[in-house]
Amino acid sequence: MESTLGLEIIEVVEQAAIASARWMGKGEKDIADEVAVEAMRERMNKIHMRGKIVIGEGERDDAPMLYIGEEVGVCTQPNASEVCNPDELIEIDIAVDPCEGTNLCAYGQPGSMAVLAISEKGGLFAAPDFYMNKLAAPPAAKGKVDITKSATENLKILGECLDRAIDELVVVVMKRSRHDDLIKEIRDAGARVRLISDGDVSAAISCGFSGTNTHALMGIGAAPEGVISAAAMRCLGGHFQGQLIYDPAIVKTGLIGESKEANLARLAEMGISDPDKIYSAEELACGETVLFAGCGITPGLLMNGVRFFKGGARTQTLVISNQSKTARFVDTIHMADNPSYVSLK
């Protein structure tokens, strides 16, 4: 899968990032997301694959493009019979977030990315559009920290695993009222908190790399982004756990269905018999082969954002594979048809 689709998925996230970056700082988050979706879909439909969106922009009625269940790939083209034989194409599941951190992009803040994860059919958890309690940590702490433990306990374990004092640890938490108690506990334990407004995929992945000064992600964020984070962290060997949150009273902010009872009924319809199950990265991204790709829209801890110059653009993309056990940073210059010059800055 990596050798067949590796370059293709890089180009998918690159095109989405470039399209969204043209709206960076303009205060139009919906447009920044819409153009990223369109660019991602257009490029995916040129790939010789039979892809299915398992995590996308929402349900079919609410999302005109890249909705959950949508089929993508070259066989969706009007002249499909002339260009492909479906029986010869690989079947893959795809999780996408064309503009992860739409507010970050709209207001020119760091950390917005175009991201996707792929695996063979059935290899990615089809998370409902609910919320998820998440815990991400570096590889050294894998299987030792636990989402069922308190933040104080996990910080002590994390410090021991990383051979650091607790006051040297930095924990990323989304700035939401539901996290007020969590933030207080982390600070009372002696660790430092980096608050973010959006974009917890980037924060989770940063835990998998040394040198980012990010040692854990804690708290509740969107469930679909949790699966994408889990795919990346599985490839990196990092720690990731997620537990679905279906009670609006816990979330406090944001939309999460009509009621707790209705959400439980929806989970049952999706075949999720244990709504309180705690999922590991290996369960959320269970496929034999898992690939993650993310392209920076705005500058972040891991990647530069899109930089435009006269005659083109420059992007930086991170591709992580559990197949080759690699994390590649791909620096690409995109030249227009008639560029007047190519910039390396």
Side-chain angles (χ1 to χ4, degrees):
M1 184 184 294
E2 181 179 2
S3 60
T4 304
L5 300 177
L7 181 58
E8 302 271 24
I9 68 167
I10 291 173
E11 293 183 354
V12 169
V13 292
E14 286 175 343
Q15 293 305 309
I18 290 171
S20 190
R22 295 189 184 280
W23 288 88
M24 187 277 293
K26 295 186 176 181
E28 299 284 353
K29 71 181 185 71
D30 291 339
I31 298 178
D33 185 55
E34 180 182 348
V35 297
V37 170
E38 292 173 353
M40 184 173 276
R41 183 175 190 259
E42 181 180 357
R43 182 62 185 85
M44 280 200 293
N45 283 339
K46 296 177 181 177
I47 301 176
H48 281 73
M49 66 175 180
R50 292 170 63 190
K52 182 178 180 180
I53 304 297
V54 296
I55 291 176
E57 290 290 283
E59 304 295 340
R60 179 170 186 167
D61 291 342
D62 300 324
M65 295 182 181
L66 296 179
Y67 55 83
I68 297 170
E70 180 176 356
E71 295 182 356
V72 293
V74 69
C75 286
T76 63
Q77 301 288 350
N79 61 337
S81 60
E82 301 173 11
V83 297
C84 74
N85 179 353
D87 295 333
E88 297 177 351
L89 300 180
I90 185 172
E91 288 187 84
I92 64 170
D93 283 354
I94 309 172
V96 302
D97 195 343
C99 183
E100 211 271 318
T102 53
N103 284 315
L104 301 177
C105 177
Y107 300 110
Q109 298 171 341
S112 181
M113 303 187 299
V115 298
L116 64 77
I118 67 172
S119 185
E120 67 269 14
K121 184 178 179 180
L124 295 174
F125 179 71
D129 195 15
F130 287 177
Y131 284 79
M132 178 182 282
N133 189 24
K134 307 172 189 178
L135 173 62
K142 183 176 175 62
K144 297 174 183 177
V145 293
D146 192 283
I147 202 169
T148 62
K149 298 181 185 296
S150 69
T152 303
E153 291 176 286
N154 280 324
L155 287 169
K156 181 179 178 181
I157 296 169
L158 190 57
E160 293 171 351
C161 292
L162 299 178
D163 193 23
R164 288 174 176 262
I166 291 179
D167 63 5
E168 295 176 334
L169 300 177
V170 175
V171 181
V172 177
V173 182
M174 294 190 76
K175 189 177 181 180
R176 301 288 189 271
S177 60
R178 60 178 174 262
H179 292 146
D180 288 348
D181 291 341
L182 172 63
I183 293 168
K184 183 178 185 303
E185 182 180 355
I186 294 169
R187 288 171 173 166
D188 287 347
R192 294 169 291 162
V193 177
R194 180 184 298 132
L195 295 175
I196 59 173
S197 60
D198 295 282
D200 65 351
V201 173
S202 176
I205 298 171
S206 295
C207 296
F209 290 89
S210 61
T212 62
N213 200 35
T214 302
H215 305 112
L217 167 74
M218 297 182 182
I220 297 171
E225 282 81 350
V227 176
I228 297 174
S229 298
M233 290 298 275
R234 179 188 164 190
C235 295
L236 290 170
H239 181 94
F240 188 90
Q241 289 174 290
Q243 184 178 33
L244 292 174
I245 303 296
Y246 49 83
D247 187 350
I250 295 175
V251 176
K252 294 184 180 179
T253 54
L255 299 176
I256 184 176
E258 297 178 3
S259 65
K260 176 181 176 180
E261 292 71 26
N263 290 336
L264 284 170
R266 185 181 174 198
L267 290 175
E269 290 174 1
M270 296 179 67
I272 299 175
S273 57
D274 181 3
D276 297 312
K277 177 180 172 63
I278 296 171
Y279 297 91
S280 67
E282 290 72 19
E283 290 171 311
L284 294 171
C286 64
E288 181 178 344
T289 301
V290 178
L291 284 172
F292 166 90
C295 183
I297 298 173
T298 58
L301 286 173
L302 295 173
M303 293 170 286
N304 286 318
V306 178
R307 291 151 289 168
F308 294 104
F309 57 85
K310 185 177 181 181
R314 188 171 184 175
T315 58
Q316 191 170 37
T317 303
L318 170 61
V319 186
I320 316 173
S321 166
N322 79 322
Q323 189 174 20
S324 61
K325 301 187 185 305
T326 55
R328 293 186 173 95
F329 289 88
V330 182
D331 201 352
T332 307
I333 292 175
H334 306 262
M335 294 174 284
D337 292 337
N338 296 298
S340 57
Y341 71 96
V342 175
S343 173
L344 293 179
K345 296 181 180 180

